[in-house]
Amino acid sequence: MDVWHIDNLVKEIERKGIASDREARSMARWIKEDILPFGNYKHVIGNESKGEALERILDRLVFGEPVQYIAGHAWFFGYKFKVNQSVLIPRPETEELVDWILKDFKTGDKSHLRILDIGTGSGCIALTLKKELGDQCTVVGIDISKKALEVATENALGLDVQMEWIEIDFLTSDGEISEPFNIIVSNPPYVGKNYISQQMVDLLTYEPEEALYPNHDDIDIFYRKISEWGGKLLVPNGVCYLEINEFRRESIETLFRANIWKNIEIKEDLQGLPRMLKATLS
């Protein structure tokens, strides 16, 4: 491929069976604008070394590696986050969760606002909230993975944000997080490996299992603990925002209705799927 044009890249991606239509064009733009140094030129003349680099990239895509891992970064809420196989790739649905929080708390005094992000991963939720809400608020991100927190730390440096990260297993923690928060937010592991197709498992191969699949027979275990421990983690009338498995909506909602919560809301994502829950501590 001597002349590197976005349409040529799309055709090559489709020819190799990597993706088609809009997804193929999206991948082509990632390659052209984020991975290989083509810039915004409409036509680029490729040399032999660039051609070999492109073939290596396409080979990685053929084997299912996400384009964000190949690029080494992902975009979330307009911010650039480093990602690798130690952290999940940020999803648009999670942006919607963050947007919900911002709409509720963007205005007003934030000097005493404390936010806890459970399972912070790349730090995309915690850092975005900190950037958008300002230095007055305090945001703490916790994760069981040391490698994930190393990525989050790099992202904090890149965004020039002062953050507190804590390496902790939330499911076995008992009193290690003592000072109460106004907001809990989490996109916890909620995928039941035995409940999804092998094709879906294959699509998620490159992402960290501990961030996807609860290491427990109870796939709602994180929601169960958050619903039970909210009273210890939140101030009175504190608010919890969670990304949820749309297939587990009723079970997760029941956990909160049976505990110390009020004003439970389920919000649909842009695809019309119930993917977010908000609950206020009684």
Side-chain angles (χ1 to χ4, degrees), residues 52-227:
E52 292 173 352
L54 176 60
E55 285 303 318
R56 288 194 295 271
I57 291 165
L58 293 174
D59 285 344
R60 292 169 72 178
L61 291 171
V62 165
F63 282 99
E65 185 172 355
V67 70
Q68 292 91 339
Y69 286 155
I70 298 173
H73 66 266
W75 294 94
F76 184 85
F77 226 86
Y79 298 108
K80 186 177 181 180
F81 287 88
K82 174 182 176 178
V83 294
N84 58 31
Q85 292 183 36
S86 298
V87 298
L88 291 180
I89 297 166
R91 267 44 175 208
E93 295 83 1
T94 310
E95 288 184 313
E96 295 178 52
L97 182 68
V98 169
D99 188 58
W100 196 1
I101 298 172
L102 293 176
K103 286 177 178 176
D104 286 348
F105 286 90
K106 190 83 176 194
T107 59
D109 180 18
K110 295 179 280 293
S111 59
H112 301 294
L113 188 63
R114 287 177 50 81
I115 302 171
L116 176 65
D117 179 19
I118 299 172
T120 196
S122 66
C124 63
I125 293 176
L127 290 167
T128 299
L129 289 172
K130 181 73 171 179
K131 290 288 286 186
E132 294 291 316
L133 293 173
D135 292 335
Q136 287 182 305
C137 71
T138 299
V139 186
V140 178
I142 66 172
D143 206 289
I144 192 175
S145 168
K146 181 178 181 179
K147 290 184 177 180
L149 291 177
E150 289 172 355
V151 174
T153 300
E154 287 190 51
N155 283 324
L157 289 171
L159 293 171
D160 192 25
V161 172
Q162 295 294 319
M163 282 290 303
E164 180 180 355
W165 308 113
I166 301 174
E167 183 182 345
I168 190 172
D169 182 350
F170 173 70
L171 293 182
T172 60
S173 63
D174 185 9
E176 291 92 335
I177 307 169
S178 56
E179 190 170 351
F181 295 85
N182 305 93
I183 299 171
I184 291 173
V185 59
S186 185
N187 176 21
Y190 61 66
V191 179
K193 202 168 189 178
N194 297 327
Y195 295 87
I196 60 174
S197 67
Q198 186 59 48
Q199 182 182 18
M200 182 60 69
V201 172
D202 292 341
L203 284 173
L204 299 172
T205 295
Y206 286 87
E207 300 194 63
E209 287 202 358
E210 64 188 6
L212 290 167
Y213 311 111
N215 187 19
H216 200 278
D217 292 336
D218 178 6
I219 64 173
D220 297 330
I221 185 67
F222 279 89
Y223 302 105
R224 190 178 305 281
K225 177 147 189 181
I226 291 170
S227 71

